[in-house]
Every structure is written in structure tokens, then in C-alpha cells.
Amino acid sequence: MKLDDLKTRLSGGELDTEIRRIYAADSVEIASTRERLAALIERFAADFGEADAGLFSAPGRTEMGGNHTDHQRGHVLAGSVNLDMVACAAPNGSTTIRIISDGYPALELDTAALEPDPAEVGTSAALVRGVCRAVTDRGYAVGGIDACITSQVPGGSGLSSSAAYEVLVGVIVNHLFCNDELSPVELAQIGQYAENTFFGKPSGLMDQMASSLGGVVHIDFADPANPLVEPIAFDMAASGHVLCIVDSGADHADLTSEYAAITDEMRAVSQHFGKQYLSEVREADFWAELQAVRAATGDRAVLRAAHFFGDNARVPKQAAALVEGRFPDFLELVRASGVSSAMQLQNLFSTADPHQQAVGVTLALADHLLAGRGAVRVHGGGFAGTIQAYVPVDRAEDFRAGMDAVLGAGSCAILHIRPAGGVVIAD
């Protein structure tokens, strides 16, 4: 669609229904989304000129249950949130992909060269190259793209900006070159491949699945090629609580080695039993052989494995509690997960810098402000980044003010669950 036509449809309200569906937005949010998308179109025109372009979106995600269980092929409960990345993108008729993203250097790469590049490890270029390689490996021809991207998902925030970026690029490529034939599950798998093989981070599949699928989902990763996905119909407003994500002020973007240590130590325990993943090990066997496991793998590995067994078992109970409207039971399980993460998984701070314990301080402050109500836990990968809090509606503004007073204005964000995952807003 020509940019002028796209702007006309946007300003005339023709996209309002789609915006409402994607974001579960009210009239105020629809208006602000219109403004945001209009500015993005203007930027594309300034950077790349007139083109037949489309608008695309992929959300950040919140992990609601299952802390570090996905990479062990366990269970997770996750939801997409109303903070997203949006792109205005168009094919450019060449083999070159050019992306301009807020706050990052301009990116340019040739789709004729899609081997992993060691110089790109840890960069956006690696993610784009990896996504394109995975798509071409599925038999599609990927050409050049011009794209402008703007994001509400802060990097290093624990809302998985990397997964949102991977899914967004995947949605664009899928629409422009694959006739939208790749499923949301395939796009998530493609994103994980890019992150593991090209970007160099040994992540599980939860982040990409939550961003790609949308809504609240219970996922069993026993077979990651065919994960079992159970959509959960959950109305946060009906629970009497709001979801808050609080930025501790410590960036977790450079903690790949800490995350890898969790994976490595859990793998050591599973390998003691001749298995590759902890989900393949019987918990009863783990406890029966605890002395031998401890001698073979060390105490921290044992504790992290114990966390996996506990948190993995909690996820189906959390999903059932939401489905059955037992929100107090869900909160109790959130609290238990938080305690397990702190004491057994041990992902509240990096051992390389023990004086930096921003996540622990943030959890303590949140617990103090809630005064026995709601629930709090570390959010996502841990060690830095964010915490998650379920706050009673009547305490929400006081809670946000209390967190911001200590951590800085804007540290506490009240989020909504977004119904849609990675999508084409308009083509």
C-alpha cells in the first residue's frame, strides 16, 4: 500500500478495529497508537522514500509461571503484553536488508550471505541474518527489505525485546516472501534458532512463543518441534489486580554467561541420569540419588535442579487456577515460585558482582509496599532487569508511586495482557 494511502486509512479510523483487536485498546490507547504509527510512516518516507509498505507488530512478553523451565523442555505460563515493537516495512527489489531502529545504528546485510558471522554475535544483525537463514532453509527465497522500527519494549528489561525483535522480523519476512504460510509456532522456532545459533545466547523457546502466539498460554515443551499450547482465557480486570513490571535499574543485557551457567548446571544433573533434559528425569529418582548427584554435580546444580522440579510442577496448577477463577491460589503459587527462584535457582544477582543486588532490593521494597497482599517474584532470566508484581487495584497507584520514589520515575509500569501476538497491522 502506498504510504499516503496507509496514512489516510490510519488517520481516517479505518484501522481502529484492528488496533482494538490487537491491543485490547480503549479509545485513548487507539488514538495514541494512531499517532505512533503515523510518525513511523513519516520516518519511513524520510529514510527510504515512497514505497508500497505495510505495518507490523510484535509484543513483549511476561513470564507468569516457570522460571528457567523452558530450556529443560518443561512447562511455562506466559503472556504477551501491550508494549510492542512496530515496523513500517517494504520489499526493495534487491538482496539487501536495511533496518533503521530507534537508538541503534542502521543495519544493512545481504540476504545472499546467510552464514553465521562471528563478528555479529550479540547484535541485531545476527538476529536478522539468523531469521532469514531459517526461512530460506524452509525453502523460501528471501529478498531485500527496507524497514523502520520503533519499540516500547526496553532492551534489558526482562520483557524480552530480543524475542519481540526476532518475531517482528519473522512476521515481516513471512508476509513479504512466504505468503504468510509460516505459523506462529514456526516463527517462534525460527526466532529461537536465530538467537541460539547466530546471536549466541542459549535461550529456551518461551519468549519467542509468547511473543508470537499472543494472549496467555500454557506451553509444554516436551517436544519443542511440536509444543503443546493451551490458550488460557484470563481477564486480569476480573481478578481485582493489575500486573506491574518494575525495572530494578540494573541492566541484564550482558549476563549471557550467568544464564548459560543455569543451563549447564541443570544439564549436568540430567546427564547424571543419562538424560539430556531435566524434564526427562523422574523427580523421585533425583531425590533418591541426591547424595550421588550432589557429589557429581555440586550443590548449586542440585539446588537449581530442585527448583526446576518444583516450578515445573507449579505451572499446570497455575494454569488451572486461572481457568477455574481461583486467583488467590494462583497468587500463592507465584509467591512459591519467587521463593524457589531466590533460594534454589539463585538468579537474583550475579556472582561476578555481588555488591549489585538491585533485584533483591526491588523485591523487598515491593513486598513492603504490598503489606501481605498480592504477590511478587523475579521476572524472566533474572540477575538484573525486572520483577513482576500482582497488585490489588486499590493499591495500584500507591504501589507505583512508592516504587518510583525509590527507583526513579517510570520504573513501575502497569501493563495489560495483549490478545494478539506477532501480526500484520496493515499491508
Side-chain angles (χ1 to χ4, degrees), residues 215-235:
V216 177
V217 287
H218 170 206
I219 310 169
D220 179 356
F221 287 117
D223 178 4
N226 299 284
L228 298 177
V229 179
E230 176 194 7
I232 303 293
F234 170 58
D235 181 359

Side-chain angles (χ1 to χ4, degrees), residues 64-419:
M64 301 172 72
N67 197 217
H68 281 278
T69 53
D70 58 334
H71 51 71
Q72 296 303 303
R73 297 193 175 182
H75 291 257
V76 300
L77 184 69
S80 59
V81 297
N82 59 317
L83 298 182
D84 70 340
M85 289 187 182
V86 290
C88 183
N92 61 28
S94 73
T95 62
T96 301
I97 291 179
R98 300 182 297 176
I99 298 177
I100 299 175
S101 302
D102 287 343
Y104 293 90
L107 178 159
E108 185 171 312
L109 61 85
D110 189 346
T111 58
L114 295 179
E115 294 300 318
D117 183 347
E120 289 180 348
V121 168
T123 69
S124 300
L127 297 177
V128 177
R129 199 179 299 275
V131 167
C132 292
R133 172 60 183 269
V135 172
T136 60
D137 284 349
R138 284 163 169 78
Y140 296 95
V142 177
I145 298 167
D146 290 333
C148 286
I149 296 175
T150 185
S151 177
Q152 297 170 323
V153 188
S157 68
L159 294 171
S160 201
S161 59
S162 60
Y165 188 83
E166 295 151 17
V167 170
L168 181 63
V169 173
V171 168
I172 294 169
V173 171
N174 189 29
H175 186 69
L176 297 183
F177 302 108
C178 310
N179 299 312
D180 296 314
E181 293 172 356
L182 298 172
S183 70
V185 171
E186 288 178 292
L187 291 177
Q189 292 165 334
I190 285 168
Q192 184 200 26
Y193 166 79
E195 188 158 323
N196 291 174
T197 306
F198 285 70
F199 187 83
K201 182 176 179 180
S203 66
L205 188 55
M206 177 190 68
D207 295 349
Q208 293 84 358
M209 285 284 280
S211 179
S212 186
L213 289 166
V216 177
V217 287
H218 170 206
I219 310 169
D220 179 356
F221 287 117
D223 178 4
N226 299 284
L228 298 177
V229 179
E230 176 194 7
I232 303 293
F234 170 58
D235 181 359
M236 181 68 74
S239 74
H241 291 70
V242 296
L243 170 65
C244 293
I245 300 297
V246 184
D247 185 353
S248 70
D251 189 348
H252 78 185
D254 296 321
L255 291 167
T256 297
S257 62
E258 294 283 6
Y259 306 137
I262 292 177
T263 305
D264 292 344
E265 290 174 14
M266 288 185 176
R267 183 184 298 114
V269 175
S270 63
Q271 288 177 342
H272 176 82
F273 293 93
K275 305 295 184 182
Q276 189 171 0
Y277 302 100
L278 283 177
S279 60
E280 301 169 332
V281 177
R282 292 177 65 246
E283 184 179 3
D285 293 342
F286 167 76
W287 291 110
E289 297 189 30
L290 186 61
Q291 185 176 18
V293 177
R294 185 182 182 193
T297 66
D299 287 349
R300 191 170 71 171
V302 163
L303 288 169
R304 285 175 162 171
H307 163 81
F308 168 82
F309 290 119
D311 232 32
N312 195 51
R314 272 185 283 272
V315 172
K317 296 176 183 177
Q318 288 178 285
L322 291 183
V323 169
E324 296 164 11
R326 297 182 286 107
F327 198 68
D329 292 343
F330 172 79
L331 292 180
E332 187 59 37
L333 292 162
V334 171
R335 296 185 197 103
S337 176
V339 170
S340 179
S341 293
M343 296 183 64
Q344 296 179 331
L345 184 60
Q346 301 178 43
N347 67 334
L348 298 193
F349 66 93
S350 169
T351 55
D353 186 11
H355 296 289
Q356 185 282 107
Q357 298 201 25
V359 171
V361 171
T362 304
L363 286 167
L365 175 60
D367 194 54
H368 169 72
L369 292 171
L370 285 174
R373 301 175 67 190
V376 298
R377 68 194 281 271
V378 65
H379 183 245
F383 300 107
T386 58
I387 70 163
Q388 179 188 74
Y390 296 90
V391 182
V393 171
D394 65 338
R395 290 288 304 155
E397 289 307 322
D398 287 343
F399 180 85
R400 177 158 58 181
M403 299 305 296
D404 285 358
V406 175
L407 301 173
S411 296
C412 179
I414 297 176
L415 303 183
H416 307 290
I417 298 296
R418 162 173 154 156

